[in-house]
Amino acid sequence: GEEEKITHTFSEEHLLNITFEACDTTGRGEVMASTVMQYLQSMTSQSPEQGRLSRLYDMLDPDRKGVFVNRDVFQATMKRWISQCSQDCYLENVYQRLEWCNISKTLAKATVLDFPRIALVVTVSHVSFLMYSSESRDMISTVADLRHANHSLSEQNSSLLKAVEACDEKNLQLTAEVSKLKRKLMSTQRSAVSFESLSEELDEARRLIKDSQERACRIKTYNNKLKKENECLRAQIQLLEEVNEKLAQEKSFNKTCLAKLMKMQSEMRKELDETHVLLASKDREITQKTMLIEELKFSQMENHRIIEGMYSEVQRLQENARHGLL
């Protein structure tokens, strides 16, 4: 009686919730009426424009405007539609079309993991039949078994979620360890780079030491050469010192000679000055004598002309005298 009615009502709401959730794939809490009709069409192989599905479509979206319906509206509309189908004696036709025997066989062969999918098929395709046929009690019992299996699966899911949480914690620990290992690896890489740098510096230092040794060897050879040259230079310096000593002696002697020569030069300069004075005096005398000679030459020339004139006159007189004698 009353207990059976409560169980019947609860099962109906549960099945309608399953149907609504199957249509509400996005979890928004509302679905389009056309989506519900497409889902029912795929489950019943009937057109939404014919038969009882057409009546349901008119109840959900009379003007075909693509309206959205929420869970409460969906359940209320489906209950009214199921009630109308029962009153119009559609249940018998539905029973004949749904081939209940095949569904029962499928339920008998199904595993626990297949129960949620089968429950959806049963809910959508045979909802009116399950609510009002003479075999609804058996189906309700089957749904109860499905709910029990679903509850078991939920418990298994909870266990799996706990295992996933434990894995997440372990993953976090492993991530922390990986980060730590990465830091160690980076430190090791930096150490390796530093070691390579030190190795390069060591090779460079070895090369510099080798170059220094080669330079030291060359410097040693050059130093030995310089020592020999230095010995030669010392011998030359000693020789030059001896020569310098001789030159110093000669310089001293030359100084003495120079002093004597300077004294002689002074005396000779004095004599030269006296000679210059004498020469100047002689030069004046010579100039005077030269002028006198010039005057004498001029006088001689005058006398010569006079003599020649007189000689010519004598010749003329002689000639005249000779002519006079003749």
Side-chain angles (χ1 to χ4, degrees), residues 141-155:
S141 176
T142 302
V143 171
D145 293 338
L146 292 175
R147 289 181 61 205
H148 178 70
N150 188 25
H151 180 69
S152 299
L153 291 174
S154 297
E155 292 180 351

Side-chain angles (χ1 to χ4, degrees), residues 11 13-25 36 39-44 71 74 78 98 100 103 106-107 113-128 130 139 142-143 146-147 150:
S11 299
E13 291 181 356
H14 181 68
L15 294 174
L16 292 177
N17 284 332
I18 293 175
T19 304
F20 182 81
E21 291 172 357
C23 296
D24 186 16
T25 57
V36 175
Y39 189 77
L40 292 175
Q41 180 185 5
S42 65
M43 294 293 105
T44 61
R71 187 186 298 270
F74 173 77
M78 289 295 292
L98 295 179
W100 171 246
I103 296 174
T106 303
L107 288 172
L113 296 177
D114 294 327
F115 286 165
R117 179 177 58 82
I118 295 172
L120 288 175
V121 175
V122 171
T123 300
V124 177
S125 302
H126 317 293
V127 60
S128 59
L130 290 175
M139 181 54 67
T142 302
V143 171
L146 292 175
R147 289 181 61 205
N150 188 25

Side-chain angles (χ1 to χ4, degrees), residues 2 13 24 56 59 65 80-81 107 143 145 147 188 199 208 232 246 255 257 259 277 281 308:
E2 186 67 15
E13 291 181 356
D24 186 16
L56 177 61
M59 295 172 68
K65 294 182 178 180
R80 286 192 291 109
W81 176 69
L107 288 172
V143 171
D145 293 338
R147 289 181 61 205
T188 304
S199 179
L208 292 175
C232 294
K246 291 180 180 180
K255 282 183 177 180
C257 293
V277 172
S281 176
E308 286 182 352

Side-chain angles (χ1 to χ4, degrees), residues 20-65:
F20 182 81
E21 291 172 357
C23 296
D24 186 16
T25 57
T26 60
R28 295 174 55 187
E30 59 180 7
V31 296
M32 293 182 65
S34 58
T35 303
V36 175
M37 300 312 299
Q38 290 175 3
Y39 189 77
L40 292 175
Q41 180 185 5
S42 65
M43 294 293 105
T44 61
S45 300
Q46 292 185 7
S47 173
E49 301 298 334
Q50 297 177 358
R52 68 183 188 280
L53 290 183
S54 176
R55 180 179 296 182
L56 177 61
Y57 203 179
D58 292 336
M59 295 172 68
L60 292 173
D61 188 7
D63 298 329
R64 304 294 191 270
K65 294 182 178 180

Side-chain angles (χ1 to χ4, degrees), residues 299-317:
S299 298
Q300 183 182 1
M301 290 177 65
E302 289 293 332
N303 291 330
H304 183 69
R305 283 196 300 272
I306 293 171
I307 290 171
E308 286 182 352
M310 291 177 69
Y311 182 74
S312 297
E313 186 65 26
V314 169
Q315 285 182 352
R316 186 179 65 78
L317 291 174

Side-chain angles (χ1 to χ4, degrees), residues 271-289:
E271 291 179 357
L272 181 61
D273 291 337
E274 293 177 353
T275 303
H276 283 165
V277 172
L278 181 60
L279 287 174
S281 176
K282 295 293 184 181
D283 191 31
R284 285 194 298 272
E285 291 179 358
I286 290 171
T287 301
Q288 291 176 359
K289 289 180 178 181

